[in-house]
Amino acid sequence: STQELQSNVIRNYENLETLANECFRIALKAPTPDQSIEIVLEYLGKTLKGDRTYIFEKNESGGDDNTYEWVALGVTPEKENLQNLPPEVCANWYRNFQMNRNITIHELEDIREKDPLQYENLKRQDIHSLVVVPLYIDGKIIGFYGVDNPPGRYLDYAQNMLQIMGHFITGSLKRRNLVKQLQDLSYHDQLTRLGN
C-alpha cells in the first residue's frame, strides 16, 4: 500500500539522519580536520557498501586532485593515479554541478558515447556505478565527492546521504584551510623575526 511505502520512506530518512548524526558525533571528536574527513569517508563507504569514497578538489591550474580516499578491503587505492586530472575529464560533471545536478551513473556503459574521456577514466579504475555531488565553499564549487560501485538499490540512498554529509565535509575543508593559513602565517612570522 502507498501508506506502507510512505512510512518506509520516512523511516529510511529518519534512519539516514540517525546515521549522519552518529557519524558527525565520531568525526567531531577527531583531533584534526583531515581525520574528521577520513572518518566520514569510511563511514559513508561502509554504510553505502561502496568500493571507494573520495574527495576531489580543483587545483590552481584548473585540474582535479584526489585529495582524500577510503577503500574497502581488497579494493585498489587510486588516489596516487588521480592527481591533476586534466580539466576536460570532469568538465561534463562541472557543467551539471553548475545546474545544481548531482551525477548518478547506474551503468558505466551508459556514458560511453556521451562522455568518452570520463568513461575511459572510470573504466580504468574498474568503476561500473557511482554517485558524486558537488562541494561548495562560500557559494563556489571547489570540487566534488562521491562513492564508487554501491549496490544498485543504494544509489538513490547514496545521493541523499552524500548531500546530508556535504556540509560537514566542506566545513572540515574550511577548517583545514584555516589551520594551514595560520601555520603559514606563524612560519612566515618566525622567518621575519629571524631575519631581523
Side-chain angles (χ1 to χ4, degrees):
S1 76
T2 325
Q3 237 172 343
E4 260 171 54
L5 269 176
Q6 274 175 331
S7 70
N8 268 340
V9 167
I10 290 166
R11 224 185 3 260
N12 276 338
Y13 269 96
E14 284 172 358
N15 185 14
L16 209 68
E17 293 212 340
T18 315
L19 279 172
N21 287 333
E22 181 59 18
C23 176
F24 295 151
R25 210 174 50 75
I26 305 166
L28 283 167
K29 288 188 180 148
T32 68
D34 281 343
Q35 283 166 296
S36 287
I37 290 170
E38 278 157 15
I39 289 167
V40 171
L41 289 182
E42 176 182 0
Y43 199 91
L44 277 167
K46 289 180 171 170
T47 306
L48 299 170
K49 303 194 180 350
D51 281 352
R52 215 184 275 119
T53 49
Y54 44 81
I55 297 176
F56 279 80
E57 296 177 68
K58 268 254 169 277
N59 62 31
E60 316 222 301
S61 63
D64 291 285
D65 293 331
N66 184 181
T67 48
Y68 298 86
E69 174 189 60
W70 169 86
V71 294
L73 230 63
V75 174
T76 315
E78 286 286 348
K79 190 171 144 202
E80 299 310 310
N81 311 323
L82 296 170
Q83 297 306 314
N84 202 18
L85 279 186
E88 49 276 17
V89 175
C90 296
N92 218 348
W93 288 6
Y94 281 101
R95 273 196 291 278
N96 276 285
F97 298 154
Q98 298 295 354
M99 296 184 282
N100 265 325
R101 292 194 199 128
N102 301 328
I103 302 290
T104 303
I105 296 173
H106 292 266
E107 190 39 68
L108 184 63
E109 291 306 314
D110 298 346
I111 72 159
R112 180 198 282 237
E113 316 266 289
K114 282 196 305 248
D115 200 349
L117 283 176
Q118 187 64 272
Y119 173 81
E120 286 307 323
N121 173 43
L122 300 176
K123 194 171 175 62
R124 188 192 59 69
Q125 301 172 59
D126 233 1
I127 295 167
H128 42 85
S129 66
L130 60 71
V131 179
V132 291
V133 306
L135 291 169
Y136 298 89
I137 288 184
D138 305 328
K140 201 166 126 267
I141 297 172
I142 56 114
F144 56 87
Y145 86 123
V147 57
D148 290 341
N149 299 338
R153 62 179 192 286
Y154 280 84
L155 283 165
D156 294 336
Y157 190 65
Q159 210 173 343
N160 295 328
M161 195 82 178
L162 288 166
Q163 274 174 306
I164 290 175
M165 300 289 205
H167 300 293
F168 184 86
I169 293 273
T170 47
S172 302
L173 291 172
K174 277 168 91 161
R175 275 196 0 251
R176 176 204 66 186
N177 296 348
L178 192 63
V179 169
K180 192 179 174 321
Q181 276 174 326
L182 292 172
Q183 282 167 339
D184 290 349
L185 278 173
S186 80
Y187 178 69
H188 189 223
D189 205 40
Q190 280 164 342
L191 283 183
T192 327
R193 274 207 298 271
L194 286 171
N196 291 343

